[in-house]
Amino acid sequence: DGGITQSPKYLFRKEGQNVTLSCEQNLNHDAMYWYRQDPGQGLRLIYYSQIVNDFQKGDIAEGYSVSREKKESFPLTVTSAQKNPTAFYLCASSPIQSSLYEQYFGPGTRLTVT
Amino acid sequence: LAKTTQPISMDSYEGQEVNITCSHNNIATNDYITWYQQFPSQGPRFIIQGYKTKVTNEVASLFIPADRKSSTLSLPRVSLSDTAVYYCLVTAGGTSYGKLTFGQGTILTVHP
């Protein structure tokens, strides 16, 4: 089955620790994205990447870092500098060449930092 | 990209048709209108996309008037499983990738 995998589904960390969220896709999509969603809110873009070894900051990149060493993988690190890291994190991907503007989303990781 | 405005919530009953309207007054000539659906604790799912007039797929219809300043997502004969948040987005034409801007969406609750 083609799709996007995010792991783990739930993650708990102590304040001051860095944590890395995994995102893998086997859809052969060039572009990948990370969003954050807070309760009752829409999604906000953290980082996105259109090609391997290249990525751009989204609207709320402070306190986060990413890497794109492989086309299939786009891990997100939530650093201790992120002031309010508890949220639902969603990874997505999309093809570069397509007649439709459609992003495919993973199941999400719910991060709780105490 | 143009800002979108849609109702915060709507209620309906099983079997009814639901119409969710979205306004996007500053939509650019090349922009498309795209709708996503999101269930609790899941990622959003693409529903439909259109540029003008009417688009229909197996899930929904999208009506876009000539001035394109608004659009209406129509869900025929909703069921309890259609209870979700529906997002209206304006997306840049000519590309299939790039930033998406999600507003708060419309919480649709379908009652028995």
Side-chain angles (χ1 to χ4, degrees):
Chain A
D1 276 336
I4 299 180
T5 303
Q6 290 186 246
S7 60
K9 192 167 177 62
Y10 298 94
L11 193 52
F12 298 88
R13 281 291 183 272
K14 294 288 187 187
E15 201 173 309
Q17 294 179 334
N18 291 356
V19 58
T20 298
L21 281 58
S22 165
C23 177
E24 304 278 332
Q25 56 99 358
N26 60 5
L27 300 167
N28 199 32
H29 288 170
D30 290 291
M32 296 187 74
Y33 314 80
W34 273 105
Y35 293 88
R36 169 190 171 129
Q37 186 172 35
D38 293 289
Q41 304 297 313
L43 284 67
R44 292 185 290 169
L45 183 66
I46 304 172
Y47 269 98
Y48 64 106
S49 167
Q50 295 173 3
I51 195 169
V52 173
N53 292 324
D54 186 44
F55 45 83
Q56 289 79 39
K57 293 182 179 179
D59 300 318
I60 54 164
E62 186 175 347
Y64 299 97
S65 66
V66 293
S67 63
R68 187 88 187 275
E69 297 176 2
K70 297 187 299 181
K71 186 176 182 178
E72 303 80 18
S73 179
F74 191 40
L76 172 76
T77 297
V78 184
T79 75
S80 56
Q82 167 50 233
K83 290 183 172 49
N84 188 15
T86 294
F88 187 46
Y89 290 88
L90 287 156
C91 178
S93 70
S94 67
I96 295 291
Q97 299 296 331
S98 174
S99 60
L100 272 183
Y101 192 142
E102 178 177 355
Q103 290 188 6
Y104 296 74
F105 284 83
T109 291
R110 192 169 297 279
L111 174 66
T112 302
V113 177
T114 56
Chain B
L1 291 170
K3 180 175 159 50
T4 60
T5 303
Q6 51 184 123
I8 292 175
S9 64
M10 294 182 68
D11 288 274
S12 183
Y13 291 90
E14 281 191 294
Q16 289 188 335
E17 178 184 76
V18 171
N19 295 309
I20 306 174
T21 297
C22 177
S23 67
H24 26 78
N25 290 319
N26 297 322
I27 191 167
T29 303
N30 292 335
D31 290 341
Y32 281 68
I33 298 108
T34 307
W35 287 79
Y36 280 78
Q37 173 193 55
Q38 186 181 25
F39 298 113
S41 297
Q42 293 186 26
R45 182 176 72 107
F46 174 92
I47 301 175
I48 198 166
Q49 182 180 86
Y51 183 78
K52 62 180 179 180
T53 63
K54 177 182 173 182
V55 179
T56 298
N57 61 23
E58 63 278 6
V59 175
S61 295
L62 179 59
F63 298 92
I64 306 167
D67 66 6
R68 302 196 335 118
K69 293 184 184 300
S70 67
S71 58
T72 300
L73 174 73
S74 181
L75 304 172
R77 298 179 298 281
V78 294
S79 64
L80 295 176
S81 63
D82 292 314
T83 294
V85 179
Y86 292 83
Y87 296 98
C88 166
L89 293 85
V90 168
T91 54
T95 64
S96 60
Y97 62 94
K99 296 171 64 171
L100 289 183
T101 301
F102 287 81
Q104 284 190 300
T106 297
I107 301 170
L108 172 65
T109 304
V110 179
H111 302 276

